[in-house]
Amino acid sequence: MAGTSDIKELLTRNLRQSGIYIAFVFIIVLFAILTNGALLSPGNLTNLVLQYSYILILAIGMVLIIVAGHIDLSVGSVVALTGAVAGVVVIGNGLPWWVGVLAALGTGVLVGLWQGFWVAYVGIPAFIVTLAGMLIFRGLAMQVLGSVSLSPFPEEYQYISGGFLNGLLGGNGFDAFTLFLAAALIVVFAVQQYRGRLAKLKYKQPVEALYLFWLKIALIGAVVMAFAWQLAHSRGLPVVLILLAALVLIYGFVSQRTIFGRHIYAMGGNLQAAQLSGVKTRRVNMWLFVNMGLLSAVAGIVYSARSNSAQPGAGNMFELDAIAAAFIGGAAVTGGVGKIQGAIIGGLIMAVMSNGMSIMGVPQPTQSVVRGVVLLVAVAFDVWNKKRSTSSS
């Protein structure tokens, strides 16, 4: 019969994932206090979403790359290249904004095919292929733009990153549509979680105690509604947040509920066993990098729309932020472990820390030191947790 877990057992069994949620809450509370509440103000939360959305988009693809046992160092350069292509098409040639979007997405797919070929079919380690890609695509971005920035984009293109849905359902001093959408999201989440719990019970898998299950739903619902309440009192629901939420739902489903997703985890957990069990590793690797190229293009579109320009230096260090988000969010350095929601939480931790320290006036060099220490501690925690699990088994 399936067993239920109390708080202590639940935290111990899922230490890697539960620890990151505890750390996230602690960091939010800490910086809310240190900034005298400015961190959680409606305007600042809106800016937080707009400023770090492209890093979170990259983190979604990066965590899948890391789970499969690879790394991608080229995503920042691909952000620059795809933004440059969109800029040349829309600003340089005067074509409609959506043509620029399609051109950027197509460029991202081609980049993914290029890198996937070398990794999957030639057998060159992804670290080397993407390191070369970082140089190649940065150089191509400079050539496409002639080493100069292009601006401005038309309003329709800027709307991708800077647009808001406000007033669709009215509201007196707030946007009712934002609150309605948040409430609907909580209901969908609760139903999915409850169905997942029933499925585990059916197959006699351990689950948390029922009171803990509903407590978890209530706490997550309270956080989401509080966040939505602040957004509703600012400029409404950012369009880029809808895009990000859709990507999280889609990739969460793909990674956890599809054969392709299970093959990614199988490869990262034990590559030889996956090959012997019939997993077509070359094909999976190819599509992994095509997907990363596509998401890099999405991030490039969002970033260029946010900055209202195509810049040859765009995306600098984005790959390190995305990698840090995945590792802080619980991805294992050896592969096989990691979740989309964990990478999002990891990215938000980095975003809250950077934003909070900026509000406090902390110098940029100090911010870099703090972020580096946090990444090191997160990886050290993963190594310690793996050793603890091995010794206890």
Side-chain angles (χ1 to χ4, degrees):
M1 183 176 181
T4 58
S5 307
D6 58 15
I7 294 178
K8 181 178 180 180
E9 183 183 351
L10 188 66
L11 291 177
T12 302
R13 191 179 68 226
N14 298 311
L15 190 58
R16 179 186 280 112
Q17 288 298 327
S18 60
I20 195 63
Y21 291 113
I22 295 172
F24 182 46
V25 172
F26 172 77
I27 289 173
I28 290 177
V29 173
L30 175 64
F31 279 100
I33 295 173
L34 293 176
T35 60
N36 296 318
L39 176 75
L40 300 179
S41 65
N44 189 64
L45 284 180
T46 299
N47 289 332
L48 198 65
V49 172
L50 299 179
Q51 291 172 4
Y52 295 96
S53 55
Y54 33 86
I55 299 298
L56 299 180
I57 292 171
L58 292 174
I60 292 173
M62 188 64 72
V63 71
L64 296 179
I65 293 286
I66 292 173
V67 166
H70 303 299
I71 204 75
D72 192 337
L73 301 176
S74 69
V75 295
S77 297
V78 180
V79 166
L81 176 59
T82 53
V85 170
V88 169
V89 169
V90 177
I91 301 173
N93 292 282
L95 295 175
W97 66 272
W98 56 268
V99 178
V101 169
L102 292 178
L105 294 176
T107 301
V109 170
L110 290 175
V111 166
L113 287 170
W114 167 264
Q115 299 199 123
F117 167 77
W118 292 105
V119 173
Y121 292 98
V122 179
I124 301 176
F127 178 87
I128 301 300
V129 172
T130 58
L131 179 61
M134 180 174 66
L135 302 174
I136 293 170
F137 304 130
R138 179 68 64 182
L140 288 176
M142 293 179 179
Q143 288 186 342
V144 168
L145 291 174
S147 297
V148 296
S149 299
L150 289 179
S151 65
F153 280 100
E155 291 185 1
E156 296 89 346
Y157 190 92
Q158 296 179 50
Y159 188 79
I160 297 172
S161 182
F164 294 86
L165 297 181
N166 199 331
L168 295 181
L169 296 179
N172 185 15
F174 63 92
D175 179 42
F177 177 74
T178 301
L179 299 179
F180 171 78
L181 203 61
L185 183 64
I186 293 170
V187 171
V188 172
F189 173 76
V191 171
Q192 289 181 339
Q193 291 293 305
Y194 187 70
R195 292 179 62 183
R197 176 185 171 85
L198 292 179
K200 289 182 178 180
L201 289 173
K202 180 180 178 181
Y203 291 102
K204 303 186 183 304
Q205 297 179 0
V207 296
E208 65 266 65
L210 187 60
Y211 78 94
L212 284 177
F213 172 80
W214 289 116
L215 178 62
K216 176 183 72 174
I217 298 297
L219 289 176
I220 293 176
V223 170
V224 172
M225 287 306 298
F227 177 66
W229 179 261
Q230 295 294 78
L231 291 182
H233 283 77
S234 181
R235 287 175 281 178
L237 188 65
V239 172
V240 71
L241 183 58
I242 298 177
L243 171 63
L244 181 60
L247 290 175
V248 170
L249 291 174
I250 292 170
Y251 281 91
F253 175 81
V254 169
S255 63
Q256 300 295 320
R257 303 286 183 179
T258 66
I259 295 175
F260 178 71
R262 289 194 289 271
H263 285 176
I264 294 173
Y265 283 89
M267 287 169 51
N270 191 321
L271 179 59
Q272 291 184 341
Q275 291 172 333
L276 292 174
S277 63
V279 175
K280 297 179 180 179
T281 56
R282 289 183 175 180
R283 181 180 300 178
V284 174
N285 280 328
M286 171 63 81
W287 283 111
L288 268 175
F289 281 92
V290 169
N291 174 71
M292 189 71 255
L294 180 64
L295 287 177
S296 298
V298 174
I301 293 166
V302 171
Y303 181 79
S304 58
R306 167 71 177 166
S307 60
N308 192 25
S309 64
Q311 307 168 17
N316 187 35
M317 302 293 284
F318 280 13
E319 57 276 349
L320 299 187
D321 288 332
I323 292 169
F327 283 135
I328 292 174
V333 293
T334 53
V337 176
K339 291 185 177 181
I340 300 297
Q341 59 266 35
I344 294 297
I345 295 297
L348 288 175
I349 286 177
M350 299 292 284
V352 169
M353 289 174 53
S354 297
N355 183 260
M357 288 189 289
S358 296
I359 294 174
M360 295 168 59
V362 176
Q364 190 63 43
T366 304
Q367 292 188 34
S368 297
V369 171
V370 172
R371 293 167 66 190
V373 170
V374 170
L375 174 59
L376 185 62
V377 170
V379 176
F381 174 78
D382 172 70
V383 174
W384 171 81
N385 188 50
K386 185 176 180 180
K387 290 181 178 179
R388 182 188 63 84
S389 302
T390 302
S391 61
S392 61
S393 61

